[in-house]
Amino acid sequence: MKKIGDIYKEYKIMPNLAMHQMRVAAVAMQICDSLNIKIDQESIVRACILHDMGNIIKFRLEQFPDWNQPEGLEYWQKIKNEYIEKYGDNEHTASLIIAKELKTSSYVQELVNSIDSSFVEKIAMGDDICKKICIYVDNRVNPNGIVSAEEHSLEAQKRYENHPHAFSDEKRLFFNKSLFLIENQIFSNSKIIPENINDESIIPFLEILKDFSI
């Protein structure tokens, strides 16, 4: 088994992307610890900490110059090209392939796959609480930290403006409706409320995740 930090180095994960995945996993840990129902926390955390491994494929590297430092734009463009050559031009597919390369369980791979906006209605209507947590926590973390689901939606709308991944207004409303339903489903079994999750509350979980191995 390898520590997650070593895996991120091996796959040349951009620091901001590594931090995003760590925060998503930390939010998941906080929620899992708060629940009064049985949960497969190990699989959830594994999925969350790997869910965006291929995301450099969709990054517009020139959009946020600070994210390219200290290596620089040319370096990360080279890494992006290598990812596309090896995994193709779909970042979600790339993340799934990497999860398989790391020999995660079939269920962890299923959870990684579920962290995709196209599945939100199916997950909301289904009964797999692990999938609900995985897709929800990804929508509580933006590039700068923990936000509400509503704030995440507004920030993502701006960040993906004129991007192939951009939602139409209708699709965004539909997505948000399903996500807020998922939020209510999760916290109906929790001793905390969504507002209890913030940058400070996840610090202890981030510390634990530094030694997390896959």
Side-chain angles (χ1 to χ4, degrees):
M1 299 182 77
K2 298 179 182 178
K3 286 188 177 181
I4 190 60
D6 292 332
I7 291 172
Y8 288 163
K9 288 179 183 177
E10 178 183 346
Y11 280 87
K12 298 181 175 64
I13 301 300
M14 297 183 78
N16 66 297
L17 179 56
M19 190 69 244
H20 168 75
Q21 293 183 109
M22 293 283 283
R23 283 172 173 149
V24 169
V27 173
M29 289 181 74
Q30 183 176 357
I31 289 176
C32 288
D33 280 2
S34 78
L35 297 178
N36 54 27
I37 56 175
K38 190 175 180 180
I39 196 83
D40 184 355
Q41 179 169 336
E42 184 79 8
S43 292
I44 291 171
V45 173
R46 285 173 180 267
C48 288
I49 213 163
L50 297 173
H51 75 283
D52 275 346
M53 291 291 284
N55 262 28
I56 193 171
I57 289 170
K58 73 172 182 180
F59 283 176
R60 293 186 291 188
L61 295 169
E62 72 285 351
Q63 186 176 16
F64 300 103
D66 291 348
W67 292 4
N68 298 320
Q69 301 309 316
E71 291 86 355
L73 175 61
E74 185 177 346
Y75 172 83
W76 289 114
Q77 185 62 56
K78 178 175 178 289
I79 300 304
K80 178 178 178 177
N81 294 343
E82 289 173 357
Y83 263 74
I84 293 171
E85 182 178 354
K86 183 174 182 179
Y87 299 112
D89 60 4
N90 185 295
E91 76 285 348
H92 188 63
T93 299
S95 297
L96 280 171
I97 294 171
I98 292 169
K100 292 177 183 177
E101 288 178 348
L102 293 169
K103 295 181 170 57
T104 59
S105 71
S106 59
Y107 186 56
V108 168
Q109 293 169 32
E110 189 177 331
L111 291 178
V112 170
N113 188 47
S114 74
I115 307 176
D116 184 276
S117 60
S118 63
F119 296 119
V120 67
E121 182 184 23
K122 183 178 180 180
I123 291 171
M125 295 298 107
D127 57 6
D128 190 329
I129 187 66
C130 296
K131 290 181 180 179
K132 295 178 191 290
I133 292 170
C134 284
I135 197 167
Y136 173 74
V137 295
D138 189 39
N139 286 277
R140 287 296 308 270
V141 182
N142 74 12
N144 297 312
I146 311 304
V147 294
S148 69
E150 183 177 6
E151 288 170 325
H152 181 276
S153 177
L154 292 171
E155 187 277 331
Q157 182 178 14
K158 181 178 180 180
R159 180 160 36 107
Y160 287 111
E161 188 176 8
N162 300 320
H163 191 283
H165 289 258
F167 282 178
S168 65
D169 290 342
E170 182 180 3
K171 185 176 180 180
R172 183 167 300 282
L173 287 171
F174 178 80
F175 177 85
N176 288 345
K177 181 179 179 181
S178 294
L179 189 67
F180 293 136
L181 175 59
I182 289 171
E183 181 176 73
N184 289 333
Q185 292 166 342
I186 292 170
F187 288 95
S188 66
N189 296 295
S190 173
K191 62 187 178 185
I192 64 174
I193 60 175
E195 291 76 15
N196 292 142
I197 300 172
N198 52 57
D199 289 320
E200 290 187 3
S201 73
I202 68 163
I203 290 174
F205 301 102
L206 287 173
E207 287 298 316
I208 295 170
L209 287 168
K210 287 179 181 178
D211 293 319
F212 192 81
S213 297
I214 294 176

